[in-house]
Amino acid sequence: MSNEESLAVIELRDVSILSPRTTDEIIARGINWSIYENDFWVVCGLSGAGKTALMLTAAGIQKPAEGDLFIFGKNIKYLSEDELAGLRLKIGFVFEGRGNLFHDLTIGQNIVLPLRYHLECSAKVAKEKAMVFAEFLGIEQYIDSYPNEIPPYLLSRVTLARALITEPKILFVDNPMRSLDVSQERWWIEKLLILLKDNKNSPAKQLTTLIVAVSDLRLWINHIHKIAVLSSNGYKYFSRDEIKEDVDSTLKELLVGVFKNY
Amino acid sequence: MILDDLFLDFKIEMAESVEQSEIEEKSSGVIARISEKLSEYIFYSFDTFKGFIAFTLISLGVLIKKFGKAKCVIYPLIQQQIRRCGVSLLPIVIFLSLALGFLVVGQTVALLSRFGVKDLAGVLMVAAVVRELGPIAAAFIIMARVGTAIVIELSTSRALGEVETLEALGIDPVHYFVIPRLIGVISGTISLTVYLVIGALLSGYLFAFIQDVPLEPWEYLKQIGDALIWSDFLLIFLKACGFGLIISVTACYYGLAKPLNLNMISKTATSAIMQSIIGCVLLDGILIFIYFVMLS
C-alpha cells in the first residue's frame, strides 16, 4: 500500500500556526502537511523561519490557531485533555537547545519522569529502563548527576532519552545539532538513523516515523526521504528526488555547495 | 481715556476668562485621565479576578479528578512542599509565637490582673489570639516565605520551557506544579496556625508568670477552655484552609497563568503578595461576620 493510500499518522489541514513566543501572532497560514508511517522528514529553513512552531503544532503540543490537526486519525479539536495526553505518549519530542530539562531532578529522574508518571512503575524498574537508553546514547555515567553538572552538549541527548523512554511511534527532534561540532553532528545522524532503521540495535522498537528540524541541510541530504522547506514564500514539500529540480532560494542557501548547479 | 480703560478692563476680563477656561480644560483633562486610569484598573482587576476564579476552579477540579494518580511522582512533591511550608517554617513560627505571647497575652493578662478583671483573660485570649492573630500571622509568614518563592520559581519554570515539556510528556502542568503546592501550603497554614496559637498562649502565660501575675496555670487554662466553643475550632480550620488556598492559588496563578515577561517577575511577585493579603483580610472579615451571625 502506498503512503497516499494509507492513513496519515499526522495530518495538518489548512492550519494556521502561532508563534510559540507571543501565542497570539500567526506566523504561517494554510499549512497542509501529511506525515505517514515510516516517513523520515527533515524540516529545514533559515533561523526564525518557524521550524519550532511547525514542529510543536504538528506534535500537538501547541494548538493551531485555525484549521484541523489529526493525530492518528483523530481531530485534536474534539479530544479531551486526557485523550490528548494519551496520544502525546505515542509521540516523542526533543526540544531545541538545552532540552528543557527539570533542573531539580537528576538526569535519571528526568529520563524516567513520563514512565513513572503514566505507568507508576517502581524506581528500580524505571532506572533499569533508563540505563538501556542512557547506554545507547552514551550518558550512563551521568545518570545520578544534575543537569547543571554535565557537559551542555549532552543535555539534548538526555531529552532524546526522555522522549524515547515511553517507546513512541513518532519522534520529533527540534534542531538537535545547534551549536554542536562536526563529530557531534555525525553522532546525531548516526543515532537517529539507527533508531529509525536498525530495529535490531535500536532500544526504541516501536519508532517508525522521524521528523527532524535542521538549520543546515547539507549533512542530511543523503539520508532523508522528504523535506519540508520553510521560507518567506511559505512552506514547500519535496521528495528527495525533487530537490535538485527545485530552484527555491531558501533551498539554495541551505544546500550551498552540495549540488553543482547550486 | 475712558475707552482705553474700558478696553483694558475688557482685555483683563478676556484674559481671565481664557485662563479660567484653560484651568477648567486642564482640570477636566485631569479628571478624564483619572477616570480613564480608574476604569482601566477596574477592568484589569475584574479580569484578574475572573482569571483567578477560573484558575482556582481548574486547580480544584484537577485535585479531585487526579486524586491518587501518579503517586510515585506527585507524593514526593507534596512531601517536599509540606516540608517547605510546615517543618522548615517552625523556627520562625516559634519565634513569632513567643513574641505574640509576650506582646499580647503577657501584657494583657498583667493589665487585666492590675485592674482586678483577670477572669476575662481567657475570653480575651480566645478572641485575640485564637480567632484572629493566630491564623492571620501564620498566613502572613507563609505568604512572605513561600508565596513569593512560588511565583518566582513557577515564572522561571515557564521561562525555561518546563510547562511545554510537561505537555509534551502528556503530564498535566496543573497536576505537577500546582497541586503539590496547593496541598503543601494549605496543610502548612493549618499546622502552623495550631502551633502558633498554642505557642502564643503558653508563652503568654510564661511572661505573665515572670511578671508575678497572681493567676494559676490551671485557672488560666480553664478560662481559655471555657471561652472556647466548638465553632471556634471550625472557624480556625476554615480560616487556615481559606488563607492557604488564597495564598497558593494566587501565587500559582501569577507564576503560571499570567502573561510572562521576565523583567516583570519581581513586580509580579509583589502583586501576588498584595492580592493575597487583600484576599486573606476579606476572607477573614467574611468568616468573622458569618461566625457572629451564627452565634447570634
Side-chain angles (χ1 to χ4, degrees):
Chain A
M1 192 162 55
S2 73
N3 270 348
E4 281 65 28
E5 286 165 349
S6 66
L7 186 70
V9 285
I10 289 178
E11 189 174 4
L12 284 79
R13 282 191 205 156
D14 207 17
V15 162
S16 296
I17 293 173
L18 290 165
S19 159
R21 281 179 296 276
T22 57
T23 68
D24 54 359
E25 180 198 347
I26 292 176
I27 54 169
R29 290 178 193 276
I31 306 289
N32 290 293
W33 188 20
S34 298
I35 300 169
Y36 295 93
E37 205 171 74
N38 301 318
D39 270 359
F40 178 14
W41 280 89
V42 164
V43 179
C44 61
L46 300 174
S47 297
K51 298 184 289 291
T52 300
L54 178 65
M55 299 279 278
L56 288 171
T57 308
I61 298 166
Q62 181 176 287
K63 286 191 174 158
E66 292 157 3
D68 294 299
L69 169 64
F70 294 86
I71 299 178
F72 296 109
K74 290 176 182 168
N75 190 335
I76 67 153
K77 255 185 207 168
Y78 307 113
L79 296 180
S80 68
E81 279 301 317
D82 284 346
E83 287 170 323
L84 192 58
L87 278 186
R88 280 194 192 123
L89 279 180
K90 295 178 189 168
I91 302 170
F93 198 101
V94 179
F95 288 90
E96 188 179 13
R98 297 172 74 89
N100 295 8
L101 295 173
F102 293 90
H103 287 258
D104 54 341
L105 301 180
T106 63
I107 296 301
Q109 287 169 335
N110 264 290
I111 294 172
V112 301
L113 179 64
L115 205 62
R116 299 263 285 152
Y117 184 89
H118 293 288
L119 304 178
E120 297 195 35
C121 60
S122 69
K124 193 183 163 205
V125 172
K127 194 168 181 178
E128 278 169 12
K129 197 162 182 190
M131 277 308 282
V132 173
F133 287 94
E135 278 168 13
F136 175 71
L137 299 171
I139 48 172
E140 69 276 15
Q141 69 271 40
Y142 299 110
I143 207 89
D144 293 319
S145 308
Y146 283 90
N148 60 342
E149 294 168 349
I150 73 168
Y153 73 92
L154 294 177
L155 292 173
S156 42
R157 291 193 196 185
V158 180
T159 324
L160 178 60
R162 187 177 62 187
L164 292 171
I165 198 135
T166 53
E167 302 210 11
K169 285 179 182 294
I170 306 166
L171 180 66
F172 284 86
V173 187
D174 188 10
N175 215 354
M177 301 183 317
R178 197 177 76 165
S179 318
L180 293 182
D181 60 36
V182 181
S183 68
Q184 289 301 318
E185 288 176 347
R186 289 209 184 102
W187 181 94
W188 270 93
I189 294 173
E190 187 190 312
K191 289 296 176 188
L192 289 176
L193 289 174
I194 291 174
L195 284 170
L196 186 66
K197 293 174 180 172
D198 188 354
N199 207 33
K200 197 178 159 194
N201 293 318
S202 164
K205 308 281 184 207
Q206 306 284 323
L207 188 71
T208 57
T209 310
L210 181 64
I211 303 103
V212 187
V214 297
S215 298
D216 185 349
L217 191 56
R218 288 171 295 182
L219 289 161
W220 296 88
I221 199 69
N222 295 322
H223 307 290
I224 50 183
H225 303 154
K226 293 173 177 178
I227 301 172
V229 183
L230 284 73
S231 68
S232 53
N233 302 327
Y235 287 60
K236 281 186 183 177
Y237 306 108
F238 307 93
S239 68
R240 198 175 156 266
D241 300 330
E242 290 168 337
I243 297 171
K244 288 182 189 174
E245 293 153 23
D246 191 80
V247 286
D248 183 271
S249 59
T250 309
L251 255 187
K252 271 185 191 173
E253 283 186 60
L254 291 165
L255 287 171
V256 65
V258 175
F259 300 117
K260 276 181 185 172
N261 55 337
Y262 281 6
Chain B
M1 280 297 282
I2 293 170
L3 269 175
D4 278 352
D5 283 350
L6 274 173
F7 186 62
L8 188 66
D9 283 351
F10 176 72
K11 268 170 72 180
I12 291 167
E13 265 177 36
M14 278 300 287
E16 276 175 355
S17 72
V18 167
E19 207 171 291
Q20 185 67 29
S21 65
E22 269 176 8
I23 290 167
E24 276 172 14
E25 222 170 79
K26 267 186 192 168
S27 61
S28 67
V30 169
I31 291 166
R33 271 204 300 277
I34 289 171
S35 61
E36 196 184 317
K37 286 275 171 203
L38 196 67
S39 55
E40 261 175 32
Y41 180 75
I42 290 168
F43 274 118
Y44 174 78
S45 304
F46 181 70
D47 204 37
T48 305
F49 183 70
K50 212 171 68 178
F52 175 78
I53 295 293
F55 189 78
T56 310
L57 294 176
I58 290 168
S59 304
L60 292 176
V62 171
L63 177 66
I64 295 163
K65 199 174 153 194
K66 299 204 168 158
F67 187 78
K69 201 194 162 199
K71 288 189 215 92
C72 56
V73 173
I74 302 299
Y75 283 13
L77 292 175
I78 293 173
Q79 279 172 9
Q80 195 184 325
Q81 292 301 324
I82 289 175
R83 246 195 325 271
R84 174 204 214 183
C85 304
V87 183
S88 63
L89 292 182
L90 259 181
I92 183 76
V93 163
I94 290 169
F95 171 76
L96 198 77
S97 67
L98 288 173
L100 262 182
F102 171 67
L103 292 170
V104 181
V105 188
Q107 290 194 46
T108 312
V109 170
L111 215 67
L112 290 173
S113 300
R114 205 177 300 157
F115 289 110
V117 281
K118 62 178 184 179
D119 297 349
L120 287 174
V123 182
L124 272 174
M125 287 316 98
V126 168
V129 177
V130 180
R131 273 186 221 135
E132 285 306 323
L133 288 173
I136 205 90
F140 281 179
I141 291 172
I142 288 187
M143 220 181 274
R145 285 286 298 270
V146 182
T148 330
I150 289 176
V151 180
I152 293 166
E153 68 197 17
L154 291 185
S155 304
T156 314
S157 292
R158 264 178 84 200
L160 292 174
E162 289 178 4
V163 175
E164 267 173 13
T165 307
L166 287 176
E167 283 175 353
L169 298 173
I171 299 172
D172 186 346
V174 174
H175 193 211
Y176 188 85
F177 280 131
V178 180
I179 301 306
R181 286 171 173 83
L182 193 80
I183 295 172
V185 171
I186 292 176
S187 50
T189 317
I190 295 170
S191 47
L192 290 186
T193 301
V194 173
Y195 293 133
L196 194 74
V197 167
I198 294 173
L201 292 176
L202 292 180
S203 70
Y205 181 77
L206 193 71
F207 285 118
F209 179 75
I210 292 166
Q211 292 174 72
D212 286 333
V213 174
L215 182 66
E216 297 297 328
W218 58 85
E219 196 187 336
Y220 173 72
L221 289 176
K222 189 177 175 297
Q223 281 183 20
I224 291 171
D226 289 344
L228 277 171
I229 50 173
W230 67 268
S231 48
D232 284 318
F233 295 103
L234 182 67
L235 181 74
I236 298 173
F237 179 74
L238 287 178
K239 273 191 180 184
C241 280
F243 293 163
L245 183 73
I246 288 172
I247 296 165
S248 55
V249 173
T250 311
C252 292
Y253 173 66
Y254 272 88
L256 282 182
K258 281 287 211 183
L260 178 70
N261 194 347
L262 272 184
N263 55 5
M264 297 285 281
I265 288 181
S266 57
K267 202 181 165 196
T268 307
T270 316
S271 302
I273 296 307
M274 289 312 290
Q275 292 195 5
S276 296
I277 291 173
I278 294 169
C280 288
V281 170
L282 283 176
L283 180 72
D284 195 24
I286 292 166
L287 286 175
I288 283 291
F289 177 74
I290 294 170
Y291 175 83
F292 282 118
V293 168
M294 275 171 65
L295 281 188
S296 62

